[in-house]
Amino acid sequence: MALSLHPARLLARLPQLFVAEPDIPPLHLSLAGFQYHRAEGIWPFLRPGLELRLRREPWNRHDPLAVAVYYRREKLGYLPRTDNAAVARWLDQGRTLRASIAGLAEGGYPRGRVQLRVQLTHGAPVLS
């Protein structure tokens, strides 16, 4: 039996290494749970542009799509549950995201005090 080296069959068997993705505009969200975590305690250290870390919490009993927001080792709160589905999916897929503080508001209702910017980055694909 001879091997078929037809280009269409060969290409069909190659993994999709470099798939062009459309640019997705950054998400602008308010930090949820501000009053229950460390955001209030480290408020003097927060400033616009500060890089943050996102971490999935699939074991969270209140929201299985929970995405926690950290500054260094301090949990600031969560992405709002009404807006976290896409970010949770991207994190579960191992995608690279950049999160930062977009703005801060003094006083007022805790939910709007910290504004976040979350951007899906187009890094090199991770091969497994």
Side-chain angles (χ1 to χ4, degrees):
M1 178 186 288
L3 282 174
S4 172
L5 295 179
H6 190 275
R9 286 189 182 175
L10 189 61
L11 288 174
R13 294 179 187 267
L14 290 177
Q16 297 281 331
L17 296 179
F18 300 101
V19 176
E21 295 181 7
D23 286 335
I24 298 172
L27 301 173
H28 292 275
L29 308 167
S30 295
L31 180 70
F34 176 91
Q35 66 274 28
Y36 304 114
H37 300 285
R38 292 284 298 146
E40 188 72 46
I42 61 172
W43 179 260
F45 302 101
L46 302 179
R47 65 185 186 290
L50 192 69
E51 292 290 320
L52 303 172
R53 187 170 46 94
L54 302 176
R55 181 177 173 206
R56 278 281 284 124
E57 289 186 2
W59 61 85
N60 187 303
R61 66 185 174 113
H62 300 290
D63 181 9
L65 295 175
V67 177
V69 178
Y70 285 83
Y71 168 63
R72 297 188 179 173
R73 293 182 180 205
E74 303 292 339
K75 184 188 288 188
L76 302 180
Y78 291 90
L79 296 184
R81 97 175 49 187
T82 56
D83 302 314
N84 67 1
V87 175
R89 185 174 60 249
W90 292 333
L91 289 171
D92 290 345
Q93 293 171 353
R95 308 292 291 277
T96 305
L97 299 167
R98 288 188 61 166
S100 62
I101 295 177
L104 299 170
E106 293 289 337
Y109 186 69
R111 182 168 179 128
R113 290 190 69 187
V114 180
Q115 294 296 313
L116 306 172
R117 180 179 192 271
V118 178
Q119 176 72 52
L120 176 65
T121 61
H122 297 293
V126 178
L127 300 177
S128 51

